[in-house]
Amino acid sequence: MSMIADFYGGKSILITGATGFLGKVLMEKLFRTSPDLRVIYILVRPKAGQTLQQRVFQILNSKLFEKVKEVCPNVHEKIRAISADLNQNDFAISMQDMQELLSYTDIIFHCAATVRFDDHLRHAVQLNVTATQQLLLMASQMPNLEAFIHISTAFSNCNLKHIDEVIYPCPVEPKKIIDSMEWLDDAIIDEITPKLIGDRPNTYTYTKALGEMVVQQESGKLNLAIIRPSIVGATWQEPFPGWVDNVNGPTGLIVAAGKGFLRSIRATPMAVADLIPADIVVNLTLAVGWYTAVHRPKSTLIYHCTSGNLNPCNWGKMGIQVLATFEKIPLERAFRRPKADFTTNNVTTQYWNAVSHRAPAIIYDFYLRLTGRKPRMTKLMNRLLRTLSMLEYFINRSWEWSTYNTEMLMSKLSPEDQRVFNFDVRQLNWLEYIENYVLGVKKYLLKEDMAGIPEAKQHLKRLRNIHYLFNTALFLIAWRLLIARSQVARNVWFFIVSFCYKFLSYFRASSTLKV
Ligand SMILES: CCCCCCCCCCCCCCCCCCCCCC(=O)SCCNC(=O)CCNC(=O)[C@H](O)C(C)(C)COP(=O)(O)OP(=O)(O)OC[C@H]1O[C@@H](n2cnc3c(N)ncnc32)[C@H](O)[C@@H]1OP(=O)(O)O
Ligand SMILES: NC(=O)C1=CN([C@@H]2O[C@H](COP(=O)(O)OP(=O)(O)OC[C@H]3O[C@@H](n4cnc5c(N)ncnc54)[C@H](OP(=O)(O)O)[C@@H]3O)[C@@H](O)[C@H]2O)C=CC1
């Protein structure tokens, strides 16, 4: 019997960010392993023309929840969507809903955040800091609350090289930042943002660090824990390998590489690719929820959910495996054949961007214009290059995260819990994982049919032939221009032609003699 699964039985659990990538995997695992839980409250906002109910319906009817429906057929009744916007005061939750949440919640998993790197500081502070503060305030009014689990990021202190499972204070107090966001106008915020974020690369990592400070400062009598995952990737094993449904982190680059848009990247091949599968993060999160509630550690424990120190993989190895998988299982309608040039040099990066990215986009747009269609490739390529520039910070450095608390927790689990809530990244085989990841991108994110693989392979062959033809034509044109202008080139050309002619004459003569 799993103690952790048993613990969540009969519980009322509040999840923020349940419609996000990690939140969905968390919800799925909870329902699958503890189908007898009382209710999961999720804070949801209407989005993209969909009502709350439509959003929940879509999630529960997705492929991810197929197994849940077998073990928990009444899952629809156990999920209670509460209309909320974390950008608003009191999250714009109705009095009645708020009363219900305050009275019944036993555990909180706070996953909601803005994960955009370039978000305006005001918005990032609102969601990643102020909302966390408000949720903690709400939590302090919940008489039954047993644990509050805050999801942060391993990169909240990415300005350091070695990171321990402790909170590193930022120079300016979060409360001062929250207050100042209320009265400073956007122009001034823009001006002070670089000074505030200091040696961090973006507002995301900075506000996640502030969020951790808030958790520490507002802890009061609450039973808290913080989880810091590194780069969350597709699922490893559960509910099935390779599940992913958004383009954040490496996923977008895998798509761009498979479709042939992205063919070179400024990345350090030997830098550690600290990826962590979403199901490992979720298993650790649930184990932490149980441990925090049952064992009530004296202080707020921080758990690093990273792979680099236990089972390292690097970007070079990952790139090679991604490409090898695309050889076997290509994506449909690729723009060019997948290729991966890693470079660390600025000049080479500019060269590859011009030759491999911008030039083909311009040529393709020219072709679209000629055929009466709207050009779009240059715009798409510019957005991709902009995204790349934001991710580059993370693929040209390595970090060391200590994992004492995570390892301590592993040792506290029963053998059954170690199996059901496995977060031991040492057991992960990277090559197999990456192959499943790429396959998952194709199946679950792009929704491509496996039956289309032969056609996709044919398409790549056609692209290869076009490539050869184009290069040959380019070479001949260049050569023709050269011999028109240079005597040396002309001499070389005549020498090659006469050599070939003599060679052919000799063969013709020797074959006539044999007859
Ligand atoms: C050479 C070949 C290589 C081959 C093989 C490849 C092998 C593998 C090598 C892999 C190296 C991996 C490095 C990972 C490092 C991650 C570090 C994470 C560390 C922290 C982790 C965390 O703790 S937290 C989660 C991370 N948080 C994000 O990851 C959000 C990022 N994102 C944004 O901050 C906004 O997105 C941003 C970009 C501002 C645009 O913003 P924007 O306003 O211009 O526009 P949008 O957001 O609407 O996106 C505009 C279009 O970019 C598309 N796109 C969005 N993300 C994309 C993405 N990652 N890759 C591609 N494409 C992406 C999107 O699909 C749209 O495409 P479309 O236009 O066609 O619809
Ligand atoms: N993905 C990664 O690589 C990593 C993620 N993390 C952390 O994990 C957590 C989850 O990330 P992930 O699932 O990837 O992120 P997603 O962007 O997929 O999900 C974010 C969630 O937050 C919700 N949210 C955002 N704004 C609001 C709002 N104003 N009101 C209500 N809900 C809101 C979103 O709701 P909606 O659907 O309505 O937009 C969504 O459910 C975050 O705290 C992140 O910092 C940490 C390390 C790495």
Side-chain angles (χ1 to χ4, degrees):
M1 181 66 197
S2 158
M3 281 197 291
I4 300 178
D6 204 30
F7 165 76
Y8 288 106
K11 294 277 191 292
S12 303
I13 300 155
L14 168 61
I15 303 181
T16 69
T19 50
F21 175 49
L22 213 53
K24 281 186 265 197
V25 184
L26 177 65
M27 226 170 20
E28 192 278 339
K29 177 87 185 201
L30 264 170
F31 278 127
R32 190 159 42 83
T33 49
S34 307
D36 55 340
L37 57 81
R38 196 181 83 83
V39 65
I40 295 187
Y41 296 113
I42 59 173
L43 301 189
V44 194
R45 52 181 175 170
K47 199 179 176 187
Q50 283 188 309
T51 63
L52 251 61
Q53 287 68 26
Q54 284 168 330
R55 292 193 76 185
V56 174
F57 182 83
Q58 198 175 28
I59 293 173
L60 293 183
N61 286 296
S62 66
K63 166 91 185 150
L64 182 69
F65 277 75
E66 268 176 11
K67 284 189 182 167
V68 164
K69 286 195 196 135
E70 288 165 22
V71 284
C72 184
N74 59 340
V75 58
H76 290 88
E77 295 159 19
K78 290 199 175 232
I79 193 162
R80 169 107 159 73
I82 290 184
S83 174
D85 185 344
L86 272 63
N87 283 325
Q88 309 287 325
N89 255 348
D90 286 334
F91 302 156
I93 298 178
S94 74
M95 288 272 280
Q96 202 184 350
D97 286 342
M98 183 63 91
Q99 212 44 57
E100 185 175 345
L101 285 177
L102 294 183
S103 311
Y104 294 108
T105 307
D106 296 306
I107 316 277
I108 298 179
F109 293 108
H110 179 33
C111 303
T114 167
V115 301
R116 290 182 65 90
F117 294 150
D118 67 339
D119 227 346
H120 193 263
L121 187 64
R122 188 195 301 284
H123 185 244
V125 166
Q126 172 58 45
L127 211 54
N128 296 349
V129 192
T130 316
T132 303
Q133 191 188 41
Q134 277 199 44
L135 192 66
L136 286 159
L137 192 72
M138 248 174 88
S140 65
Q141 298 163 45
M142 295 174 173
N144 300 325
L145 193 75
E146 295 177 50
F148 181 116
I149 311 302
H150 174 73
I151 309 293
S152 185
T153 165
F155 294 96
S156 54
N157 301 293
C158 59
N159 49 329
L160 305 175
K161 197 163 163 31
H162 178 90
I163 301 156
D164 280 319
E165 288 162 308
V166 296
I167 290 174
Y168 297 90
C170 301
V172 185
E173 280 290 305
K175 278 184 191 141
K176 284 192 184 151
I177 302 281
I178 294 174
D179 289 346
S180 61
M181 291 300 131
E182 275 170 21
W183 57 270
L184 288 178
D185 66 28
D186 281 357
I188 299 178
I189 294 179
D190 287 344
E191 212 165 291
I192 60 170
T193 299
K195 293 191 183 74
L196 285 173
I197 67 175
D199 47 4
R200 285 185 177 79
N202 51 43
T203 53
Y204 169 67
T205 50
Y206 174 62
T207 53
K208 288 298 273 189
L210 288 178
E212 290 184 4
M213 283 179 75
V214 163
V215 171
Q216 190 183 40
Q217 291 170 355
E218 308 280 324
S219 57
K221 289 198 182 92
L222 291 172
N223 226 350
L224 292 155
I226 296 176
I227 296 176
R228 288 185 184 149
S230 46
I231 304 170
V232 184
T235 54
W236 169 34
Q237 292 172 319
E238 289 183 84
F240 38 79
W243 185 82
V244 63
D245 78 339
N246 74 15
V247 294
N248 282 344
T251 312
L253 297 195
I254 291 175
V255 175
K259 292 282 183 186
F261 298 126
L262 177 69
R263 293 169 49 101
S264 82
I265 188 169
R266 197 172 84 82
T268 308
M270 292 313 289
V272 176
D274 210 300
L275 235 70
I276 192 84
D279 46 343
I280 288 197
V281 182
V282 160
N283 286 344
L284 174 69
T285 304
L286 293 175
V288 168
W290 160 79
Y291 185 77
T292 311
V294 173
H295 294 270
R296 303 189 153 254
K298 284 192 192 74
S299 59
T300 301
L301 292 187
I302 294 158
Y303 299 85
H304 281 163
C305 192
T306 53
S307 57
N309 64 335
L310 297 172
N311 183 4
C313 176
N314 60 46
W315 292 116
K317 183 172 164 184
M318 187 162 291
I320 290 171
Q321 183 63 5
V322 167
L323 278 198
T325 311
F326 281 136
E327 285 283 319
K328 285 194 279 181
I329 315 155
L331 298 186
E332 288 171 11
R333 295 185 297 277
F335 174 56
R336 295 184 70 196
R337 283 178 71 77
K339 183 170 179 256
D341 286 317
F342 281 63
T343 169
T344 48
N345 182 293
N346 267 339
V347 178
T348 332
T349 308
Q350 297 305 330
Y351 170 77
W352 283 122
N353 276 348
V355 172
S356 283
H357 299 140
R358 291 210 165 88
I362 293 169
I363 293 170
Y364 188 71
D365 274 351
F366 180 65
Y367 162 75
L368 287 180
R369 257 185 240 273
L370 279 183
T371 50
R373 282 174 286 174
K374 204 174 158 221
R376 58 190 158 85
M377 198 51 77
T378 312
K379 198 170 159 204
L380 202 142
M381 204 54 93
N382 286 340
R383 292 183 85 166
L384 177 65
L385 294 182
R386 183 170 164 261
T387 301
L388 267 186
S389 70
M390 302 226 173
L391 300 181
E392 272 173 5
Y393 178 92
F394 301 94
I395 43 184
N396 285 288
R397 289 171 175 74
S398 297
W399 288 266
E400 286 162 20
W401 287 278
S402 62
T403 49
Y404 298 115
N405 289 339
T406 308
E407 288 174 67
M408 173 280 293
L409 181 60
M410 209 179 302
S411 70
K412 301 269 180 200
L413 300 194
S414 66
E416 177 67 354
D417 278 334
Q418 285 181 356
R419 191 185 62 78
V420 181
F421 295 91
N422 183 7
F423 53 87
D424 188 354
V425 73
R426 284 170 294 206
Q427 294 170 20
L428 184 137
N429 174 330
W430 282 109
L431 296 185
E432 195 179 279
Y433 172 69
I434 295 164
E435 184 165 323
N436 285 330
Y437 194 156
V438 173
L439 202 65
V441 164
K442 182 174 171 72
K443 282 204 285 192
Y444 309 121
L445 178 69
L446 302 175
K447 308 217 170 0
E448 292 186 1
D449 195 342
M450 289 296 143
I453 290 177
E455 168 52 30
K457 283 189 175 165
Q458 257 332 97
H459 178 69
L460 288 188
K461 269 193 198 144
R462 278 195 295 272
L463 287 178
R464 189 192 52 197
N465 293 342
I466 292 173
H467 175 78
Y468 287 154
L469 210 69
F470 182 80
N471 279 1
T472 313
L474 210 65
F475 174 77
L476 289 178
I477 292 169
W479 185 242
R480 186 68 196 84
L481 289 175
L482 198 69
I483 55 175
R485 267 157 219 207
S486 148
Q487 184 58 47
V488 179
R490 262 198 302 276
N491 289 345
V492 172
W493 180 240
F494 287 133
F495 172 76
I496 294 172
V497 171
S498 65
F499 181 79
C500 290
Y501 179 73
K502 279 181 193 153
F503 194 68
L504 283 176
S505 311
Y506 168 78
F507 261 105
R508 207 179 309 140
S510 60
S511 58
T512 323
L513 275 180
K514 269 183 207 156
V515 174

